């Protein structure tokens, strides 16, 4: 802390544990460098791993101070030489020396580097050791501290850096810089920018230029969005686990404070907005802004059962220490309803010094219920006390009624048939909410904004509109039982002497402003009734009586009115016998049947006066508000006994009046900062809590009965002393031994607090508790124990320090012994191993990293072989990691190498294999997952280990009963001593390494001496190699911790025959869930299939959620459980990417699109038109219009939403184009033709529009064969044509077009064929109208395609050699008419595995017993992975080789 009375720039240290100023003070350490006196301190930051060093940022520069050495160890002052542009080049100053003002200082997450940010938007990275600049840059440009050459242009101007953080992932060396501001001034607003630098280079082995290049060229850079028109002015990182380093270590999210006052929660590092449910309720007011609040006194039992069940992510903010409170004595909870600018309404219990039993947040999305996402301003909200029903009135005039229940309740009522004013919106529920407030009824009267709204506990809803209309709805219908213009309800008033004449109000429209339901006995009646009281803007109070009629319905009649001066603000019915409220409760309504009468009065408050009278007469007490206007009022309960009238007045006061005397009994002065313009929106609860607005989204709370008392201090604590704090990272033992100065937390206590540091309050309390305990037990503590005296505690503290020193010494001795052993065991190593490797070797023994234990053994040529599972120390230890590639002591620029380090049994000698694997660290389509190619290999190796020990098979089925096919457990063992990955650009096995699919090639050599050498051309090849390696090992039947291979020594050279090896899966006709598809991907990876084509939508349903068009899935899916959210889709895409399977989507257009009609009926022709056989091949019929601008607009919105979410995972997108029915377009009056010549230009224009969008996102389109063979459309040369109708389709496409093509015709590779038809006869007594409705009820593509038929498919027949390069590959298809998630696995596997072998090896392979046994083993391996694949053959045939051959 700086800036005290001793002078600017000094640092005073506060001892928070002792609540005192520490004796240690640091003077201004920049004095000697300063040209302008004593610069102030701007920033302070402890070293991320050594609390004994602190980075101090002054306005002129930064310095590192060592507490241990008591001196400055380095200084950093940024100076721009003449000609250097800096961040904001000034033509007048560019030729002079400049020292931009420092604004921020940061440590690298490991403390290796220091970052400073400056007033000219420069970001400078420094070497901690010698203080030199490694890189000076802005967000967009590097080397801004170097003078410009003659031809260089002046750099762009940049805005100031507002905030900056140097973040890391779980690996602190994998870092990036997050910057708020600093962007080019040509860009609007202050955006957030993330510079991802990836893994930090090794400081010891990297040259200056390499380090500079690393920080000059981020791995990737992207902008994180902020709200339009608002600037980011601060940010707070939320760490995943560690509280250290200001949250910058592995952050999971961040809170961004905007200039508008909003707090925007974003995921990190993607920048995607987080849902409100992931944040504490306390942030509800500012995320996003609220614009209206309402309070409802809800019965406690009702509120306790209102617990929402929602599919949501886990909260990102947890912690603090919640204090215990007593329970509130009242039987009602004051439940807050807040409406927000994004169209959401949140309902929660704010509490007030009491225990909150139900702290859940209930949220409703008005846009979801209204099916729009604009004009969502809320005018008023009402919540029923006993039922929990909610009514929301909109400024656009709609009223939405919500009722508690489960999503898509089967027992829901049906709305009034034929009413365009009462609409059933049960289907508009939020698909994420399983139980909660569900939209029930939409009331649409088109009468202007809702001005008054009340939902009662007895089934009635009253609504007032800006136009003057007022309606009452009976929810038992629901039905409108009263619809009237308020001004027509004028009644002669007995207060004629003070009542304004009708002529005086003719110029102002009268409308209802407050509504209340009560049960009272009217003056002159001998019974009580359900009454509705209406207060208007012209001061009238109307009394309406609701009476049952013989038909079981209700009628409404107006019983009279009375008038007040000013607008009516509040109406409250009171029971004069008890003083309690006489609301229309369920208990009071049930008493009407028994003839119970409620003797009551009405309290009406206007801006000018209040009146207590017996409705509907005008007699009673009256009081004027003198010179102050009243803005809000309510009846308040005083300490559970009496009731009073409380109002908020224009003199910033809240006043309480007795009832019925209306005498002032209390005054509370409100905060002077309240917003007077919103005083009429203030709220008063029945318990005396007052909520008034103090800002655009800020509310202050007061309590009228505690006037004159100080504000109650919350007993909750943000810091929880009981929570376990993760240990702060420190330097490693090896660094400590080598001489690095290190200061522990205990050392810091001594250095800062001094020897006379007083004991803390916690120590005194603990000593007092211990002393009392000893007294209770009747014995004293042992001698030497710390007592309550100060001296005793000082002795305990020094004993603690001595124990720490002794423990560190013991550790040092252990480390020294380990190093001596290491030296002895490594004496025989090669002399040319670099110093760096030796350091890495020591780190492996002494460092913090944890080994992953996997024991590996391979076979002797003539004996058994074993690969052992973890659990026995005598087996081999393998450690997989990414290590630096080293050559002659310096880091090569070839990238990173995937290395397996192996320790042989019984030895600590480490075999290190370093190969020049130049993994592409920035491969295409990996940006959303932040996964590098090296990470892909590392994750694949983890799956390889899991497969070996948890998903392996015992091959009993493949050997005769009783055969000894396994090696003996005690046989001679040959261990694997190394597994080496090497990247190569050429293989000796194949000369044509330039083919497009050679990147997937690999070789595996298992040598007799225990070495496994793997050569690959890419990460994809590494994934395939590991799959193959896992598939040649088996689990031992006598030990579930042992696996073996009978195939060593062996060399495997493998590569695919086709680049595109795909599977087409239909998820639209029946339910296929994301988890099912990920299971399919697991099977594909095992079979080396690399393209998953998801047929996402069809005529029957639209399960894919499109945020820009939410109705598509909400109305087009079978129900909410079928919907795939964007997160579901991305999870499947990422799952595929990590396993080498590219996932791409198909939106079939313009046919197969009938499901769009559920949300947008005007876009579809012949939707479900009968007979469907005339307009479609299967029901329901319907196709997109071809000659419609609305269709073009819809498709633009659809694809611009979808393409950005898919192109990062795949460059492919399937646009369909198959099975177009021409009869449909004969129904379109703008087309009126079924001729190909008339439809072709329209279809060409249709696809040209789609192709323009495809081209914008650099995607490669795929089309079904009809587009070129039937319609002769002109498509881009890069387009891929998918054939399916005949084996002759492929040569036809290749002969007649220049396009590349895919095979997979229905006669061989349609796996759904042969299961029969799915249609029924409408009248079984008559001859069938469809040819397939005759026995044996075969489908159109019968027979069933068994695995041998799939394997025998040769698509290259009739294909010339010159055409083969345009055959990319093929896909095996599984359409969804007769499959779902239950039958999926058996329908797909093992037949898809047979197709996979054709795609990998090429067609024309011999089909014999070897194929059967190979496929049967693959089936067993799939079952071991949890994939329920079908049977290949009888087990007897597998056990008896040759027994099933003829």
């Amino acid at each position: 802390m700086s800036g005290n009375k001793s002078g600017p720039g000094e640092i005073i240290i506060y001892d928070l544990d002792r609540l005192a100023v520490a004796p240690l003070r640091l003077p201004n350490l920049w004095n000697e460098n300063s040209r302008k006196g004593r610069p102030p301190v701007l920033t302070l930051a402890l070293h991320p791993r050594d609390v004994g060093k602190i980075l101090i940022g002054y306005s002129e520069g930064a310095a590192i101070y060592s507490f241990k050495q008591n001196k400055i160890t380095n200084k950093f002052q940024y100076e721009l030489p003449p000609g250097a542009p800096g961040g904001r080049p000034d033509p007048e100053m560019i030729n002079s020396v400049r020292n931009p003002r420092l604004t921020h200082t940061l440590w690298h997450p490991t403390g290796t580097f220091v970052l400073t940010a400056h007033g000219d938007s420069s970001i400078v990275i420094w070497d901690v050791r010698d203080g030199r600049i490694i890189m000076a840059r802005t967000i967009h440009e590097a080397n801004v501290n170097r003078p410009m050459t003659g031809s260089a242009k002046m750099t762009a101007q940049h805005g100031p850096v507002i905030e900056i953080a140097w973040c890391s992932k779980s690996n602190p060396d994998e870092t990036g810089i997050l910057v708020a501001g600093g962007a080019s001034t040509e860009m609007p607003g202050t955006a957030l920018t993330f510079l991802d630098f990836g893994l930090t280079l090794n400081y010891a082995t990297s040259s200056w230029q390499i380090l500079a290049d690393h920080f000059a060229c981020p791995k990737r850079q992207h902008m994180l969005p902020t709200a339009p028109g608002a600037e980011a002015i601060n940010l707070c990182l939320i760490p995943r686990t560690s509280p250290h380093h200001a949250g910058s270590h592995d952050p999971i999210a961040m809170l961004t404070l905007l200039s508008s006052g909003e707090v925007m929660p974003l995921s990190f590092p993607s920048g995607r907005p987080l849902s409100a449910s992931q944040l504490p309720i306390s942030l509800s007011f500012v995320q996003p802004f609220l614009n209206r609040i309402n309070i409802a006194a809800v019965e406690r039992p009702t509120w306790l059962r209102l617990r929402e069940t929602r599919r949501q992510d886990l909260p990102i903010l947890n912690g603090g220490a919640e204090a215990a409170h007593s329970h509130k004595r009242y039987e009602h909870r004051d439940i807050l309803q807040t409406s927000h600018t994004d169209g959401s309404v949140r309902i929660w219990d704010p509490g007030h010094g009491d225990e909150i039993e139900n702290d859940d947040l209930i949220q409703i999305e008005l846009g979801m219920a209204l099916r729009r996402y604009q004009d969502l301003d809320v005018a008023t909200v009402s919540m029923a006390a006993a039922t929990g029903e909610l009514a929301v009135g909109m400024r656009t005039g709609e009223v939405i009624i919500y009722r508690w229940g489960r999503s898509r309740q089967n027992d829901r009522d049906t709305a009034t048939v034929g009413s365009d004013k009462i609409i059933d919106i049960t289907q508009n529920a939020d698909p994420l909410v399983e139980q909660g407030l569900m939209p029930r009824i939409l009331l649409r009267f088109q009468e202007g904004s809702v001005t008054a709204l009340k939902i009662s506990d007895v089934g009635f809803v009253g609504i007032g509109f800006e136009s003057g209309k007022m309606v009452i709805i009976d929810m038992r219908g629901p039905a409108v039982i009263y619809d009237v213009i308020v001004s027509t309800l004028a009644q002669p008033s007995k207060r004629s002497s003070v009542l304004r004449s009708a002529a005086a109000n003719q110029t102002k429209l009268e409308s209802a402003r407050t509504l209340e339901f009560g049960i009272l006995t009217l003056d002159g009646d001998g019974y009580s009734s359900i009454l509705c009281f209406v207060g208007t803007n012209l001061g009238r109070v109307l009394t309406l009586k609701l009476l049952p009629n013989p038909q079981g319905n209700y009628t409404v009649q107006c019983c009279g009115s009375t008038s007040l001066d000013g607008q009516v603000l509040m109406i409250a019915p009171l029971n004069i016998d008890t003083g309690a409220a006489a609301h229309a409760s369920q208990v009071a309504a049930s008493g009407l049947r028994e003839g119970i009468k409620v003797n009551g009065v009405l309290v009406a408050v206007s801006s000018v006066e209040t009146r207590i009278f017996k409705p509907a007469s005008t007699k009673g007490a009256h009081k004027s508000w003198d010179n102050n206007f009243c803005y809000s009022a309510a009846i308040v309960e005083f300490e559970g006994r009496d009731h009073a009238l409380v109002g908020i007045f224009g003199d910033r006061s809240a006043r309480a009046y007795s009832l019925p005397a209306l005498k002032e009994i209390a005054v509370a002065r409100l905060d002077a900062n309240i917003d007077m313009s919103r005083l009429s929106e203030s709220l008063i609860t029945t318990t005396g809590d007052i909520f008034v607005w103090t800002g655009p989204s800020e509310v202050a709370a007061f309590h009228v009965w505690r006037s004159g008392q100080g504000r109650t201090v919350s007993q909750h604590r943000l810091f929880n002393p009981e929570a376990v704090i993760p240990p702060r990272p420190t330097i490693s033992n090896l660094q400590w031994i080598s001489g690095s100065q290190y200061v522990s937390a205990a050392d810091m206590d001594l250095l800062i607090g001094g020897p006379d540091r007083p004991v803390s309050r916690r120590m005194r309390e603990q000593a007092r508790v211990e002393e009392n305990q000893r007294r209770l037990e009747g014995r004293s503590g042992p001698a030497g124990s710390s007592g309550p005296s100060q001296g005793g505690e000082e002795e305990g503290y020094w004993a603690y320090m001595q124990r720490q020193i002794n423990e560190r010494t013991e550790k040092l001795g252990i480390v020294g012994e380990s190093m001596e052993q290491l030296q002895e065991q490594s004496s025989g190593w090669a002399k040319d191993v670099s110093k760096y490797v030796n350091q890495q070797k020591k780190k492996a023994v002494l460092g913090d990293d944890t080994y992953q234990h996997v024991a590996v053994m391979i076979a002797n040529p003539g004996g058994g072989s074993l690969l052992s599972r973890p659990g026995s120390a005598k087996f081999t230890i393998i450690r997989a990691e990414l290590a630096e590639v080293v050559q002659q002591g310096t880091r090569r620029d070839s990238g990173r190498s995937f290395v397996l380090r192996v320790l042989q049994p019984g030895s600590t000698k480490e075999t290190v294999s370093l190969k020049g694997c130049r993994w592409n660290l920035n491969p295409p389509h990996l940006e959303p997952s932040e996964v590098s190619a090296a990470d892909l290999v590392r994750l694949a190796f983890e799956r390889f280990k899991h497969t070996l020990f948890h998903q392996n098979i015992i091959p009993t089925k493949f050997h005769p009963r009783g055969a000894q096919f396994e090696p003996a457990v005690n046989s001679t063992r040959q261990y694997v001593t190394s597994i080496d990955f090497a990247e190569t650009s050429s293989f000796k096995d194949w000369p044509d390494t330039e083919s497009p699919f050679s990147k997937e090639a690999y070789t595996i050599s298992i040598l007799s001496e225990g070495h496994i050498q793997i050569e690959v051309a890419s990460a994809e090849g590494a994934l395939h190699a590991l799959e193959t390696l896992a598939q040649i090992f088996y689990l031992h039947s006598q030990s579930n911790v042992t696996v073996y291979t009978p195939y060593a020594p062996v060399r495997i050279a493998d590569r695919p025959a086709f680049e595109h090896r795909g599977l087409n899966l239909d998820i639209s006709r029946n339910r296929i869930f994301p988890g099912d598809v990920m299971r399919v991907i697991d099977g594909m990876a095992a079979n080396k299939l690399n393209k998953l084509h998801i047929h996402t939508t069809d005529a029957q349903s639209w399960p894919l959620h499109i945020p820009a068009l939410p109705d598509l899935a909400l109305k087009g899916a079978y129900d909410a459980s079928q919907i795939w959210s964007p997160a579901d889709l991305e999870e499947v895409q990422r799952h595929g990417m990590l396993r080498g399977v590219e996932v791409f989507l198909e939106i079939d257009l313009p046919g197969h699109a009938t499901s769009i009609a559920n949300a947008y009926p005007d876009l579809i022709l012949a939707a479900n038109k009968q007979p469907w056989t005339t307009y479609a091949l299967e029901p329901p019929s319907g196709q997109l219009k071809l000659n419609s601008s609305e269709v073009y607009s819809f498709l633009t919105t659809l694809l611009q939403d979808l393409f950005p979410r898919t192109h990062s995972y795949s460059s492919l997108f399937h646009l369909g184009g198959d099975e177009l029915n021409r009869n449909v377009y004969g129904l379109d009056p703008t087309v009126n033709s079924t001729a190909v010549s008339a439809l072709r230009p329209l279809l060409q224009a249709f696809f040209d529009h789609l192709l323009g969008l495809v081209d914008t996102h650099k995607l490669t389109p795929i089309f079904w064969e009809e587009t070129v063979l039937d319609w002769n459309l002109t498509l881009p040369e890069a387009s891929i044509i998918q054939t399916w109708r005949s084996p002759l389709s492929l040569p036809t496409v290749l002969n007649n077009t220049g396009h590349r093509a895919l095979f997979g015709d229905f006669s061989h590779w349609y796996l759904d064929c042969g299961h029969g038809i799915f249609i029924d006869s409408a009248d079984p007594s008559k001859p069938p109208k469809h040819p397939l409705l005759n026995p044996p009820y075969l489908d159109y593509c019968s027979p069933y395609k068994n695995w041998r038929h799939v394997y025998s498919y040769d698509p290259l027949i009739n294909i010339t050699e010159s055409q083969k390069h345009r055959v990319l590959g093929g896909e095996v298809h599984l359409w969804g008419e007769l499959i779902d998630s239950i039958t999926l696995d058996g329908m797909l596997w093992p037949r898809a595995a047979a197709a996979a072998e054709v795609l990998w090896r090429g067609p024309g392979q011999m089909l014999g017993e070897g194929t059967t046994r190979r496929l049967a083993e693959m089936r067993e391996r799939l079952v071991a992975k949890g994939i329920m694949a079908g049977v290949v053959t009888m087990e007897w045939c597998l056990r008896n080789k040759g027994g099933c051959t003829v």
Side-chain angles (χ1 to χ4, degrees), residues 137-142 156-158 182-184 187 193 195 221 223:
R137 60 170 299 134
T138 62
I139 286 178
H140 306 290
E141 297 165 327
Q157 293 285 335
H158 295 81
S184 171
M187 300 176 62
T193 306
L195 305 175
Q221 173 176 339
M223 306 292 289

Side-chain angles (χ1 to χ4, degrees), residues 314-638:
L314 295 175
I316 62 169
L317 286 174
N318 294 293
E322 184 177 359
H325 294 283
S326 59
H327 290 279
K328 210 170 198 176
R329 69 184 69 178
Y330 309 112
E331 286 303 313
H332 291 78
R333 301 298 303 178
D334 292 332
I335 303 304
L336 193 66
Q337 304 120 58
T338 60
S339 61
H340 299 260
T341 53
D342 64 344
S344 63
V345 176
R346 300 172 188 170
I347 303 162
W348 47 287
D349 185 354
H352 195 71
D354 63 330
E355 189 69 23
I356 300 178
E357 298 169 281
N358 177 8
D359 59 358
D360 285 4
L361 172 72
I362 301 172
Q363 179 166 318
I364 60 175
E365 301 291 343
L366 301 177
M368 198 79 70
L370 293 171
R371 289 296 178 262
R372 70 167 188 259
Y373 293 89
Q374 295 178 342
D375 300 327
L376 297 178
D377 291 340
V378 174
T380 183
V381 180
S382 176
M383 190 172 189
T387 64
E389 292 177 308
L390 185 76
V392 181
M394 311 296 295
R395 293 195 183 277
T396 50
E398 298 97 340
V399 174
I400 311 166
I401 308 296
Y402 288 85
R403 181 176 293 171
W404 193 263
R406 299 195 67 83
S407 178
R408 303 293 194 268
Q409 299 178 80
N410 296 324
D411 58 346
R412 59 181 180 272
D413 297 330
T414 303
T416 303
V417 178
S419 172
D420 59 349
K421 297 180 179 179
I422 303 180
I423 304 168
D424 186 349
I425 57 171
T426 310
Q427 296 296 327
N428 293 1
D430 188 338
L432 297 179
V433 179
E434 298 173 0
Q435 177 173 287
L437 282 173
M438 298 295 174
R440 175 67 175 87
I441 297 296
L442 174 63
L443 307 174
R444 183 175 288 162
F445 289 90
Q446 306 296 328
E447 295 291 340
S449 177
V450 177
T451 56
L453 179 63
K454 182 66 178 181
I455 183 168
S456 72
D457 287 326
V458 292
F460 299 102
V461 180
I463 312 168
F465 296 96
E466 194 175 31
S467 65
K469 180 186 283 289
M470 184 251 176
V471 298
I472 297 178
I473 309 295
D474 185 351
M475 291 299 293
R476 280 168 282 265
V480 178
I481 61 174
Y482 198 58
D483 187 341
V484 68
I485 301 298
V486 172
S487 59
T488 64
L489 294 177
Q491 297 289 335
S493 175
K494 298 180 182 180
R495 269 185 71 220
S496 57
S497 60
V498 295
L499 181 63
R500 293 185 299 270
S501 66
N505 289 324
Q506 283 179 351
T507 58
K508 192 171 183 180
L509 185 65
E510 187 175 23
S511 59
R513 295 305 169 98
T514 183
L515 291 165
E516 187 59 71
F517 288 91
I519 293 181
L520 294 175
T521 302
L522 292 181
D523 193 15
D525 286 350
Y527 57 90
S528 293
S529 308
I530 299 176
L531 305 174
C532 177
F533 304 105
V534 184
T536 74
N537 60 324
L538 301 186
R540 290 203 303 153
V541 177
L542 306 170
T543 301
L544 308 177
K545 183 187 295 185
L546 284 69
L547 298 172
N549 58 30
Q551 290 76 32
N553 303 320
Y554 278 81
T555 58
V556 180
Q557 67 181 42
C558 181
C559 299
S561 69
T562 189
S563 295
L564 287 76
D565 289 335
Q567 175 178 312
V568 178
L569 304 176
M570 184 274 294
I571 302 173
L574 294 180
N575 186 325
I576 61 175
D577 296 327
T578 63
H583 296 305
S585 65
Q586 294 175 350
V587 174
S590 63
L592 295 178
R593 303 188 188 96
E594 303 172 6
I596 297 176
K597 292 196 296 182
V598 179
N599 186 20
V601 295
L602 202 64
V603 180
V605 179
S606 74
S607 57
V608 177
E609 62 174 330
T610 183
R611 182 166 293 276
I612 303 177
F613 61 95
K614 192 170 182 66
S617 71
T618 60
K619 296 180 180 179
H622 164 264
K623 181 177 179 60
S624 297
W625 301 130
D626 301 325
N627 297 324
N628 289 316
F629 282 104
C630 182
Y631 288 90
S632 182
I635 302 297
V636 175
E637 186 176 356
F638 176 62

Side-chain angles (χ1 to χ4, degrees), residues 964-1038:
Q964 296 297 321
F965 58 88
E966 298 173 313
V969 176
N970 59 356
S971 63
T972 303
R973 302 178 180 184
Q974 174 65 54
Y975 288 86
V976 169
T977 56
S978 67
I979 303 178
D980 303 336
F981 276 86
E983 187 179 32
T984 181
S985 59
S986 62
F987 293 92
K988 63 182 181 180
D989 304 88
W990 309 285
D992 57 333
T993 54
E994 297 302 319
S995 64
F997 40 85
S998 63
K999 67 177 183 179
E1000 298 183 75
Y1002 66 91
T1003 66
I1004 301 174
S1005 298
I1006 303 180
L1007 308 179
S1008 58
E1009 61 269 23
H1011 298 292
I1012 296 180
Q1013 297 174 350
I1014 300 175
E1015 282 189 333
V1016 296
S1018 68
E1020 290 90 339
L1023 267 60
H1024 297 325
L1026 288 172
E1027 285 287 353
T1028 298
L1029 190 60
Q1031 290 170 16
I1032 63 175
F1033 285 94
Y1034 301 95
L1035 191 65
H1036 202 286
S1037 63
Q1038 298 180 21

Side-chain angles (χ1 to χ4, degrees), residues 47-48 107-114 126-129 173 200 203:
H47 190 288
W107 290 98
H108 180 277
T110 63
T112 311
F113 308 101
V114 160
W126 305 79
D127 185 315
V128 170
R129 295 192 179 182
D173 277 318
T200 304
Y203 178 87

